[in-house]
Amino acid sequence: MKNFQIIKALSSSSAVTGKAKDNSSMFIAGGTNLVDLMKKNIVAPDKLVDINGLDLKKIEFLKGKVSIGALAKNSQVAEDVSIKEKYPLLALALAAGASQQIRHMATVGGNMLQKTRCSYYYNTDMPCNKRVPKSGCGAIGGSNRMAAVFGTSDSCIAVHPSDMCVALAALDAKVLVEGPKGKREIDFTDFHRLPGNTPEKDNTLDSRELITAVEIPDNNFTKNVHYLKVRDRTSYAFALVSVAAALDIKDNTINDVRLAMGGVAHKPWRLTETEKFLKGKTISEDLFKQAGHLSMKGAKGFGDNNFKLTLGENAVAEALTIAASK
Amino acid sequence: MASKKTNQDKVTPEDASSRRDFIKKSGLFTALALTPPSLVMASDKKWDEKIAEYLETVPLSIEVNGTKHNLNIEPRTTLLDLLREQLQLTGTKKGCDHGQCGACTVHVNGTRILSCLSLATMQQNAQVTTIEGLSKGKKLHPMQEAFIKHDGFQCGYCTPGQIMSGIACIKEGHANSREEISEYMSGNICRCGAYHNIVDAITEVKEGGKEI
Ligand SMILES: Cc1cc2nc3c(=O)[nH]c(=O)nc-3n(C[C@H](O)[C@H](O)[C@H](O)COP(=O)(O)OP(=O)(O)OC[C@H]3O[C@@H](n4cnc5c(N)ncnc54)[C@H](O)[C@@H]3O)c2cc1C
Ligand code: SF4
Ligand code: FES
Ligand code: FES
């Protein structure tokens, strides 16, 4: 790891100004992604702005919504009694990510900005447009078992690896940010972006902006929810495919529904078509099968990851079935 | 990889010139945050290599297993390297060095974390407990005894991290069934596969109800 300077910011505004003054500086929260990437020389900032001194750790239950500070730890949110009760889908998704040691360090803001786990991105001997723009993509035509099946481009087929973000996309969350030009809100589904021909950009955040909080509006998804994570081992592995399913059921009829997938695209993949299809229908095994089928419409495999097309269908049907049976 | 250099080390000419460049590039803002104003002035005037060197290390106060240390470290030093290389506490193991195996698990302010992904400079005034800090004199910690009794290790390499996690697992309230223990121990990978015996050991300590 290259040496660097580190400063501790004491307010959001000083964190933002501190970073804005120097292009090669980066914020550091838990460090679980950044330190790893710095050790591998994939990123090499001259300066780190440590934001852990900021007052952004609180989970606040406000009128009509919850506000979760960007520095709240993943384990803190996953185990918060009221989060479990009012937003159980989020708690389930968080608990499915990484290990408890990592969740104790990982923050909500950092989780959203974690980099892809595409193995070519991690291997500095291989081409990767995300790591070095215009150097090529090792995964297209290479080993691409983990790769995306939706929204891919000729320049990148990587997936966003977060579990938490899949639940946040499903739950209509908003991201609150603060930058040199002031504060703004971003809809969660607009936060991450598709690769297009600039895969080096993971999201729509300006590099000088600080995430301060995530807000989730209140909802009725407190019982029939499930986060299904399909992976190569039982625990502590990134998703091959994951599904966040939330149902609001009355008398066997689907009153309202939210669905999103992970491990299939450059961003958490909200399934709005399937949601429309399910709304107002009576629950049945066949309905969930059809929902699975509809969800993977338009998906395209790249060889090693072709299995995700069938796996995705089954995973959506399974997640809905488990959610409905709770 | 973090270097072991401390501010007692000799400065080579290459180091010195790269330091000069580094200081030229670095803004007043950062320098102010790290050093007293007199040193900032000195560095602006490029007075002395010693001052340059000071700017590259940061002071750190940290308590490890009850002992306070006041150190000067490079910002890039991880907590794991600080423990093993500067404080000679080699009980905490370096496995993958990238957050994947759990061998480096320690408790910071009572919470288990991975020391390989923690920058030591971010642990200002923290209380760290490592495997060396568990026993009371010659008396082993109940979890250490349980690991021995249940043959919870083979080569022993992953064991310090497993024990630190095992204790945390109970304290966090995540040791209520074998399944839950396995899930909450999944961040600790054992190459020798002593998993079954590890779960036995944790179950016994949990059910024994001793203070841990
Ligand atoms: C072995 C391993 C397994 C893992 N498994 C999973 C998994 O299964 N599922 C999953 O979802 N995740 C997984 N993770 C990823 C982990 O959840 C993330 O590394 C973590 O959430 C990042 O949070 P952090 O606070 O440590 O971020 P950092 O590493 O501190 O920062 C990450 C990035 O975010 C930026 N940043 C941080 N906070 C802010 C902010 N408030 N505003 C603006 N920028 C900010 C930093 O500059 C940096 O670029 C795993 C990680 C490891 C090491
Ligand atoms: S898929 Fe994206 S991240 Fe992976 S090698 Fe190609 S460009 Fe890089
Ligand atoms: S050495 Fe830290 S997790 Fe492997
Ligand atoms: S005992 Fe050998 S790695 Fe676990």
Side-chain angles (χ1 to χ4, degrees), chain B:
Chain B
M1 188 71 312
S3 114
K4 283 168 274 175
K5 210 184 292 164
T6 66
N7 54 349
Q8 278 86 44
D9 287 347
K10 289 249 159 55
V11 181
T12 65
E14 288 93 317
D15 277 355
S17 79
S18 77
R19 281 205 181 98
R20 272 191 295 271
D21 283 353
F22 187 71
I23 288 179
K24 263 186 239 154
K25 276 190 242 143
S26 62
L28 186 65
F29 175 72
T30 311
L32 268 174
L34 294 178
T35 55
S38 58
L39 284 187
V40 175
M41 235 171 63
S43 76
D44 270 0
K45 295 186 172 140
K46 301 183 193 70
W47 277 347
D48 193 325
E49 228 51 80
K50 280 230 169 63
I51 292 168
E53 187 171 47
Y54 183 80
L55 276 172
E56 277 186 56
T57 62
V58 287
L60 172 71
S61 297
I62 194 166
E63 187 180 316
V64 183
N65 301 330
T67 308
K68 284 223 169 77
H69 299 271
N70 290 312
L71 307 157
N72 279 305
I73 59 161
E74 286 193 334
R76 64 176 154 182
T77 313
T78 61
L79 178 58
L80 176 61
D81 288 339
L82 179 83
L83 292 171
R84 290 181 55 85
E85 295 175 16
Q86 272 175 255
L87 302 179
Q88 306 298 318
L89 292 167
T90 52
T92 306
K93 296 295 182 258
K94 182 183 281 192
C96 64
D97 207 22
H98 287 282
Q100 299 178 358
C101 71
C104 65
T105 302
V106 299
H107 297 179
V108 172
N109 301 328
T111 305
R112 60 168 155 160
I113 56 135
L114 299 180
S115 57
C116 72
L117 293 183
S118 310
L119 294 176
T121 143
M122 287 168 64
Q123 309 301 337
Q124 202 61 250
N125 300 320
Q127 293 184 332
V128 180
T129 306
T130 69
I131 190 80
E132 288 95 341
L134 291 184
S135 59
K136 292 212 168 73
K138 285 219 162 99
K139 187 152 171 44
L140 291 179
H141 185 279
M143 191 63 78
Q144 291 174 309
E145 276 173 353
F147 264 65
I148 296 169
K149 178 173 161 200
H150 290 279
D151 222 356
F153 55 92
Q154 290 177 41
C155 77
Y157 196 80
C158 70
T159 309
Q162 299 275 7
I163 289 176
M164 298 314 287
S165 262
I167 294 168
C169 205
I170 297 176
K171 287 192 169 165
E172 289 160 3
H174 290 303
N176 301 308
S177 65
R178 294 188 74 88
E179 291 71 40
E180 195 183 21
I181 293 172
S182 295
E183 174 61 32
Y184 281 84
M185 289 299 291
S186 69
N188 292 74
I189 312 285
C190 177
R191 278 171 190 269
C192 310
Y195 292 115
H196 190 83
N197 300 358
I198 289 171
V199 177
D200 287 345
I202 296 171
T203 305
E204 180 175 286
V205 176
K206 157 93 182 19
E207 285 169 3
K210 270 194 210 156
E211 202 191 318
I212 53 168

Side-chain angles (χ1 to χ4, degrees), chain A residues 233-244:
Chain A
R233 42 177 204 236
T234 328
S235 182
Y236 200 27
F238 286 95
L240 288 166
V241 163
S242 70
V243 181

Side-chain angles (χ1 to χ4, degrees), chain A residues 106-169:
Chain A
T107 63
V108 165
N111 190 296
M112 292 166 52
L113 295 182
Q114 63 176 298
K115 299 298 279 186
T116 183
R117 294 279 160 167
C118 172
S119 56
Y120 298 95
Y121 176 79
Y122 263 79
N123 184 344
T124 47
D125 294 332
M126 298 297 286
C128 167
N129 290 324
K130 193 183 264 303
R131 182 168 28 79
V132 185
K134 313 258 180 291
S135 63
C137 170
I140 300 176
S143 151
N144 51 37
R145 190 172 137 74
M146 296 299 286
V149 292
F150 288 118
T152 52
S153 75
D154 291 344
S155 55
C156 179
I157 58 172
V159 300
H160 192 266
S162 164
D163 292 295
M164 176 192 83
C165 292
V166 184
L168 290 176

